[in-house]
Amino acid sequence: MGTLVGHVLPGLAFLALGLWHLFNNIKLFCLRPNTFCSSIWFPVSKIRYLELYFIMFSSSASISMELFVGPRKHHPFDSDGTIPSNHLHNFEHSSISMSILVYAVLALVLDRARLRAEASEGITNLAAAAAFSQELLLFHFHSTDHVGVEGQYHLILQLIIFVSLLTTLMGIALPKSFLVSLVRSSSVAFQGVWFIFLGYMLYTPSLIPKGCFIHDEDGHQLVKCSTDEALHRAKSLVNLEFSWLFVINTICVVTLYLILDRNYGGKIEYSSLTTNYQRGQYDEEQQHFETQKMGFVQMDKLVDHGDKM
């Protein structure tokens, strides 16, 4: 991180993962609304652990970029083996990626161990919550002082991460809640959107707010504003950008739900209605048959009584 590419690439990974979860959770709910049970990751038919492999690859690539590819010396240490101040943020970012990598590995191990379903899902959710906790903690206590415009972007980012953390923990107690899984999936996707947006808005000179400029400080690019009025305006623009993106995100999630419900839920509902209709016809026929049967029985009794007379 700390560059345009460093924000866009992780953002694309979060966005892809969030969309994948949104698709699977909505599809699963449309197909099985009464027996819906969410999962923190979804297997693929041909390659069961494709999602986990994707997370492992992305996390490993991020760690390599932060610790070995990004630094000028291709390692983050000083000549005496200590960690220099200008590379503390590299270790923080790589620690976030490492916690996500650990989650993916644990999820794979737990699935192969074939433990009881409830225990396996709960522990996997806990591992994912630990990764989100690590991400939130390191962004909140970042060694790079996020002040000004950059600080406003990262403050909102922490809010989105907190939603992902909270809904992941809620998923342990409420695994059958579709709304919890929907909010969690959309928050992960929105993390990706915000990472991408943050990268472009902070590291593209033409997109810097009026009265502000990009300043290079110890190899780290920061957005500075010339006056307090310009800073206040820039922060207000960040809030507006978040609100606009939040509305767009909500519209996209609801639209995706409607599309998938039409493709998957409509067939199930039509089948259910047909079954109920046929069941109603069957009940009416049975009732009519029983009525006729009772009539025949009574007629037989009358005939027998007449014969005796």
Side-chain angles (χ1 to χ4, degrees), residues 21 42 194 222 224 263 272:
H21 279 216
F42 293 91
W194 194 247
L222 300 173
K224 298 282 188 178
N263 291 335
S272 176

Side-chain angles (χ1 to χ4, degrees), residues 65-137:
M65 288 292 296
E66 290 289 345
L67 298 182
F68 306 110
V69 179
R72 294 179 181 178
K73 298 179 181 179
H74 298 294
H75 67 81
F77 299 102
D78 213 338
S79 56
D80 58 355
T82 59
I83 301 174
S85 299
N86 62 329
H87 282 315
L88 284 173
H89 66 279
N90 295 103
F91 276 92
E92 291 166 346
H93 297 157
S94 62
S95 296
I96 295 173
S97 300
M98 189 178 299
S99 64
I100 297 174
L101 174 63
V102 168
Y103 148 70
V105 172
L106 289 178
L108 191 150
V109 171
L110 287 169
D111 185 72
R112 286 188 172 178
R114 301 191 180 280
L115 303 175
R116 288 189 305 170
E118 294 182 359
S120 178
E121 283 292 327
I123 298 173
T124 306
N125 272 271
L126 198 60
F132 285 129
S133 300
Q134 178 91 310
E135 185 184 12
L136 179 62
L137 181 71

Side-chain angles (χ1 to χ4, degrees), residues 125-275:
N125 272 271
L126 198 60
F132 285 129
S133 300
Q134 178 91 310
E135 185 184 12
L136 179 62
L137 181 71
L138 289 174
F139 274 123
H140 184 73
F141 297 106
H142 209 286
S143 60
T144 303
D145 293 329
H146 289 310
V147 295
V149 182
E150 187 176 1
Q152 195 69 10
Y153 276 109
H154 282 83
L155 181 62
I156 294 175
L157 175 62
Q158 293 172 46
L159 175 63
I160 302 172
I161 298 171
F162 176 74
V163 174
S164 299
L165 170 61
L166 180 62
T167 49
T168 302
L169 290 173
M170 290 176 65
I172 300 175
L174 302 169
K176 296 183 178 181
S177 173
F178 171 66
L179 293 180
V180 170
S181 63
L182 185 72
V183 174
R184 182 184 66 229
S185 303
S186 60
S187 69
V188 172
F190 197 52
Q191 268 196 66
V193 172
W194 194 247
F195 266 121
I196 296 170
F197 194 79
L198 187 154
Y200 276 104
M201 297 304 294
L202 287 180
Y203 301 101
T204 305
S206 59
L207 298 177
I208 300 300
K210 184 171 61 177
C212 303
F213 55 92
I214 297 178
H215 174 70
D216 192 290
E217 187 175 298
D218 295 330
H220 182 70
Q221 292 182 327
L222 300 173
V223 176
K224 298 282 188 178
C225 296
S226 54
T227 62
D228 291 338
E229 182 181 355
L231 176 60
H232 178 73
R233 178 180 178 275
K235 286 184 176 181
S236 299
L237 287 175
V238 174
N239 298 334
L240 287 174
E241 291 160 5
F242 169 74
S243 65
W244 294 336
L245 285 176
F246 184 77
V247 171
I248 294 172
N249 180 75
T250 304
I251 294 173
C252 290
V253 171
V254 174
T255 302
L256 180 62
Y257 174 81
L258 293 175
I259 293 173
L260 294 179
D261 182 65
R262 176 175 294 182
N263 291 335
Y264 297 102
K267 297 179 181 178
I268 301 301
E269 184 179 0
Y270 177 78
S271 175
S272 176
L273 287 173
T274 303
T275 303

Side-chain angles (χ1 to χ4, degrees), residues 274-287:
T274 303
T275 303
N276 291 334
Y277 174 73
Q278 292 174 345
R279 187 179 302 165
Q281 281 189 326
Y282 175 78
D283 291 340
E284 289 179 2
E285 290 175 357
Q286 285 291 105
Q287 185 177 2

